[in-house]
Amino acid sequence: MSILPPPSRPSAARSPTLTEPRWIRAIIITLAILFLIVFVVLPLVLVFSQAFSRGAEAYLRAITDSEAQAAIRLTLLVAAISVSLNMVFGLIAAWAIAKFEFPGKTVLISLVDLPFSVSPVISGLVFVLLFGGQGYFGPWLQSHGIQILFAVPGIVLATTFVTFPFVVRALIPLMQEQGTSEEEAAISLGASGLATFFRVTLPNIKWGVLYGVLLCNARAMGEFGAVAVVSGHIRGETNTMPLLVEILYNEYQFMAAFAVASLLAMLALITLAAKAILERHLDQGQPTRGD
C-alpha cells in the first residue's frame, strides 16, 4: 500500500514572485533599495545636513531673511491662485471628458496632456511671445499700463499651464470607473444639472479632487523652468523659492540655499505622506469587481 503525496496547491494560486529563485529576489530587492537610498534618501539627508550645518540659529536667520520671506510669500500666493484655477478647470474638463461624448473629445484629451510633453522652458517662452514687449499682445498691454511678464500675473499663468493636467488626470479614471448611473437616477428624479453635480458627482470624487490638488500644489511650489523665463529674477519681488535657491547657490551662499531648499524638501515629504493617505481613501472608495 503506497502512501499518496499530499495534494499540491493549484499553480494559479501560487504567487509569481515565489517562482523565482531566492537569490534573484534578493538581488532585485537590494538593487531597488540601493537605488532609493542613492537617488532619494541620500539627497534629502544632504539637503537637511547642509541646511543645519551652521546650527539652528543660522538656519532660522536664513529662512527669515527678507528675500527668503518674500520668496515664500510669492510661492504660496502663486500656488494658491494656480491650484484654485486648475481645480475649477480640472473639474469641468474631467466632467466633460468622463461623462459626455462630443466631437473633439480626443483633441481635448491631447490638449490636457500638452503640458506634460512640452518643456517648461518652452511654455515660458510662449508667454514671452504672447505678452512680451515685442509679443502679440505686448504693445496693447503696454499702452494700457498692464504688466504681465516680470510680475505676478506672468508667474501665475506659467505655473497654471504646467500644472493643469494634474487635477484632470486624477479625476478622469475615477469618474469613468463610477459611470453615470447615479447622475442619471438623480436627473430622473427631477434634480437639476448643478444639483446633481454638487450632491452626487462631487461627493463621489472628493478624494480624487484632493489627490489632484495635492499633486498640483506640490508641482506649483516647486516649478522652476517656466517661472524662470517669465519672472525676470527681480530680487524680493518675482523670485519664488526655487529661483531663490538658484540665486543663493550661484552667489556661494550654500547654507542659505540649502535652508530654503529644505523647506521645499519638507513639502515633498508632507506631500508623500498625504498622497499615501489619499490613495488609501481612493482604494477604499473603488467598487470591487463583480459588484
Side-chain angles (χ1 to χ4, degrees), residues 191-206:
S192 63
L194 286 177
T196 301
F197 176 78
F198 284 107
R199 296 186 179 183
V200 179
T201 304
L202 191 57
N204 288 338
I205 62 172
K206 60 182 180 181

Side-chain angles (χ1 to χ4, degrees), residues 6 36 110 126 173 229 247:
L36 290 174
S110 300
V126 170
V229 175
I247 291 174

Side-chain angles (χ1 to χ4, degrees), residues 33-118:
I33 293 175
L34 288 176
F35 184 89
L36 290 174
I37 291 175
V38 173
F39 291 98
V40 178
V41 178
L42 186 58
L44 285 175
V45 173
L46 290 176
V47 166
F48 285 101
S49 64
Q50 290 294 323
F52 289 94
S53 60
R54 298 182 185 176
E57 292 184 2
Y59 177 84
L60 290 176
R61 284 197 302 270
I63 63 175
T64 55
D65 180 74
S66 59
E67 285 191 23
Q69 289 294 302
I72 293 172
R73 288 193 297 269
L74 179 60
T75 302
L76 294 176
L77 175 64
V78 171
I81 297 174
S82 60
V83 170
S84 299
L85 292 174
N86 280 329
M87 182 177 66
V88 175
F89 295 141
L91 279 169
I92 296 173
W95 194 20
I97 292 172
K99 301 295 184 179
F100 303 101
E101 294 294 335
F102 53 89
K105 181 177 179 179
T106 304
V107 176
L108 178 58
I109 296 175
S110 300
L111 291 176
V112 166
D113 292 333
L114 183 62
F116 282 152
S117 58
V118 176

Side-chain angles (χ1 to χ4, degrees), residues 130-170:
L130 287 175
F131 305 113
Q134 306 300 322
Y136 188 78
F137 300 109
W140 185 88
L141 292 172
Q142 289 182 351
S143 64
H144 289 77
I146 301 175
Q147 183 76 19
I148 300 294
L149 293 183
F150 314 135
V152 175
I155 299 175
V156 170
L157 286 174
T159 305
T160 303
F161 177 82
V162 298
T163 57
F164 176 73
F166 288 97
V167 176
V168 182
R169 276 302 174 187

